[in-house]
Amino acid sequence: MTRRKAKAPTVGFVSLGCPKAASDAEQILTRLRAEGYQISGSYDGADLVVVNTCGFIDAAVEESLDAIGEALTENGKVIVTGCLGAKKDAKGNDLVRVAHPKVLAVTGPHALAEVMEAVHQHLPPVHDPFIDLVPPQGIRLTPDHYAYLKISEGCNHRCSFCIIPSLRGDLVSRPIGEVLREAEVLAAAGVKELLVISQDTSAYGVDVKYRTGFWGGKPVKTRLYELCSELGKLGLWVRLHYVYPYPSVDDLIPLMAEGKILPYLDVPFQHASQRILKLMKRPASAEKVLDRIAAWRKRVPELAIRSTFITGFPGETEAEFNELLDFLDEAQLDRVGAFSYSPVDGASANALPGALPENVRDERKARLLRHQEGISTQRLERKIGQRIQVLVDDIDEEGAIARSAGDAPDVDGVVYIADGHDLEVGEFAEVSVIDCDVHDLYATLALPH
Ligand code: SF4
């Protein structure tokens, strides 16, 4: 039997300049090959050309501009990267764009992600299931119907109990076109729910000053609001994790009210006492959190808020711990996780005075979780009698196990549907809620309207 082989898209590559430019070129070439692109040393036969430039001395600038001009004449589709891409003329305009306005994209040096984003936009990779080692959506550890979408790496904060910034560095946001492309590929592969993650989701784009990227031929800012608006158009469940309560989060609430993203926020508050939050060096700790939650819920009453807290932080007094319990009473959070403080090697909090014994840290954690149980149960009881949409995660002999908009996988509760045997994993279903306990809902299939 013969089969038709998908034609691999071909990228012409021209590299000028010093060893650093050569190293950038190697990275780009490696990525292109890994994604199944063919590489060509000439213009003919190439679907697009990448010119890696040098801008060190005038002669190098001339040589690079000539190479771009030649690539445009011979091929027409040209992406420029490298040092010359970062150079401006006396008026602050891109030197390359002034000389060659028809280039498709211009990036500076060390811009692997941006170059790949531009290549993907103008010459999408072709997936060949017979050749590619990985499916187009990549290798995922999650079930087929939901996927984590990582939007940035690293973190600009320096919380005293955390060593992530020293391990992963400062915030680096992924280009928005790249993130949206990944989301689209996941949607095409059958994913029904995207879980947006990063160390600090609300900070998306801060490091690149909310730079304008491109998606679907349109300019779109590298910012959480724009990202969520675009994700909301894919027709999937979009769930936000690790969102700090900055004022900018208020802008997302209308997207929830309009049904574009799920009415769900995972906000790791970690504590409620201003003194402890300061010692923790938590982001957005000075925000008026309770007012903010009230305003969010006024607009979106069904908003589910999940949070985590640390008990027994160094120096935490019984009064400060009680402040945290009072906060839980007022905030009426839907889901709460808790951790006893544990010193991490290299974290600055280890040097704080007033370390508490392990049994105190653990006892406070147990007390916090007991305290929250009643609140979580009451929040779920409000759903009894309601008709809700769920996404099916599993089927067993007792029926279907699904999740509602208020349940993230693994960390929140589930919805048990006793008569859901005929449902399928990854299917959306309408159910009527008949009962609940602390974490989970019990439902039956809803009768057709
Ligand atoms: S705990 Fe703080 S420092 Fe660590 S990743 Fe989260 S926001 Fe950044």
Side-chain angles (χ1 to χ4, degrees), residues 400-434:
I401 302 169
R403 286 177 296 107
S404 72
D407 309 308
D410 296 329
V411 289
D412 295 328
V414 296
V415 183
Y416 291 103
I417 311 160
D419 57 352
H421 297 92
D422 293 336
L423 294 170
E424 286 185 16
V425 171
E427 181 182 351
F428 286 111
E430 295 280 321
V431 298
S432 301
V433 180
I434 51 174

Side-chain angles (χ1 to χ4, degrees), residues 15-18 21 51-65 80-85 87:
S15 192
L16 308 163
C18 66
V51 182
N52 187 23
T53 59
C54 176
F56 184 50
I57 51 171
D58 287 350
V61 171
E62 277 309 309
E63 188 191 7
S64 294
L65 287 175
V80 177
T81 183
C83 293
L84 184 61
K87 277 206 161 179

Side-chain angles (χ1 to χ4, degrees), residues 154-165 199-200 244 268 270 280-283:
C155 180
N156 285 348
H157 302 294
R158 295 294 180 265
C159 298
S160 58
F161 54 81
C162 175
I163 56 163
I164 282 177
Q199 307 298 339
D200 177 0
Y244 292 108
Q270 307 301 18
M280 288 178 166
K281 300 202 180 132
R282 288 296 288 164

